[in-house]
Amino acid sequence: MIIHFAGNTGIAERENRLIRLSTPRLFSYYYISNDLFNNKKMFNMCKNKVELFLDSGAFSAYTQGVNINLYEYIAFIKENIEYIHTYANLDVIGNPEETWKNQLRMEKAGLNPLPCFHYGEEEKWLKKYLDRGYSYIALGGMVKTPNLIPWLDHIFLEYLLTPLKTPAIKVHGFGLTSVPLMLRYPWYSVDSTSTSFWIPIYNL
């Protein structure tokens, strides 16, 4: 399982430690696009040293009443594609149909974003992604959601595992900071901002 450290630390020494350790990183477009100059420097530091995962930051923008422009997001990815290992679709919180349309719009623009399916959405949207043949998808909407086990058990057993209970596709868990949940399912990758989880790195 690949664990991406999510968020900017804001502390150069700590950032250098993460890079020296080749710790995969997850950045939010919503935050870094507001300080592109400094984050370009960070991208240069990370280039060819760590895996960079770019999330749209749609949830953060949604909670603050801000809309992310899809075509500006597309342009940002294209301008910085040499630094980015994986990038997610621009999901629209509470609107899986528009999220699906953004997936297709990004692909039409020549990109291959990671599809996103969220807790609480109708399962027909997950089926659409699987029927389209994506080999790597993300599950989101799990932050501060209580009692995830019944939902995750169902989603994995019904859609994401083979009859032999091996992974049918690669799955990323957005904002997954619970170690029991990380160990219960065969995630390909997750991201976490949990301070306690990363204390061993910080104390090196």
Side-chain angles (χ1 to χ4, degrees), residues 27-40:
F27 291 125
S28 166
Y29 167 74
Y30 172 68
Y31 289 111
I32 65 175
S33 62
N34 294 321
D35 188 13
L36 181 57
F37 176 76
N38 285 325
N39 283 292
K40 271 289 242 185

Side-chain angles (χ1 to χ4, degrees), residues 125-134 137 159-160 169:
W125 297 106
L126 176 57
K127 293 176 185 177
K128 286 176 76 72
Y129 291 121
L130 297 176
D131 290 344
R132 193 171 169 82
Y134 295 106
I137 69 167
Y159 300 106
L160 305 177
I169 62 171

Side-chain angles (χ1 to χ4, degrees), residues 71-91:
Y71 297 100
E72 290 178 359
Y73 181 50
I74 289 172
F76 179 87
I77 293 171
K78 288 185 174 182
E79 289 168 5
N80 298 282
I81 194 66
E82 63 181 311
Y83 306 104
I84 303 169
H85 181 270
T86 305
Y87 48 92
N89 179 29
L90 174 56
D91 45 341

Side-chain angles (χ1 to χ4, degrees), residues 35-51:
D35 188 13
L36 181 57
F37 176 76
N38 285 325
N39 283 292
K40 271 289 242 185
K41 290 166 60 178
M42 187 182 299
F43 282 171
N44 275 309
M45 290 169 61
C46 295
K47 186 180 179 183
N48 299 325
K49 296 180 181 179
V50 300
E51 288 189 7

Side-chain angles (χ1 to χ4, degrees), residues 52-188:
L52 296 182
F53 188 126
L54 183 68
D55 176 31
S56 70
F59 180 75
S60 297
Y62 173 78
T63 60
Q64 298 184 42
V66 177
N67 291 320
I68 294 176
N69 183 288
L70 173 67
Y71 297 100
E72 290 178 359
Y73 181 50
I74 289 172
F76 179 87
I77 293 171
K78 288 185 174 182
E79 289 168 5
N80 298 282
I81 194 66
E82 63 181 311
Y83 306 104
I84 303 169
H85 181 270
T86 305
Y87 48 92
N89 179 29
L90 174 56
D91 45 341
V92 181
I93 306 304
N95 192 334
E97 182 176 4
E98 198 62 26
T99 298
W100 167 262
K101 289 179 180 178
N102 279 351
Q103 180 75 26
L104 302 183
R105 289 168 183 143
M106 292 183 72
E107 291 175 4
K108 188 175 181 180
L111 298 178
N112 295 293
L114 185 68
C116 303
F117 176 72
H118 302 82
Y119 176 89
E121 293 177 346
E122 292 184 66
E123 292 171 19
K124 69 177 183 180
W125 297 106
L126 176 57
K127 293 176 185 177
K128 286 176 76 72
Y129 291 121
L130 297 176
D131 290 344
R132 193 171 169 82
Y134 295 106
S135 60
Y136 188 17
I137 69 167
L139 299 182
M142 299 182 290
V143 176
K144 297 183 180 179
T145 300
N147 199 22
L148 279 170
I149 287 179
W151 181 74
L152 285 172
D153 279 357
H154 169 69
I155 292 298
F156 270 93
L157 289 172
E158 185 69 22
Y159 300 106
L160 305 177
L161 297 179
T162 68
L164 297 177
K165 296 185 178 182
T166 58
I169 62 171
K170 298 187 290 187
V171 183
H172 179 84
F174 276 126
L176 201 71
T177 59
S178 167
V179 173
L181 291 181
M182 291 166 64
L183 298 178
R184 185 178 178 89
Y185 307 99
W187 305 100
Y188 176 78

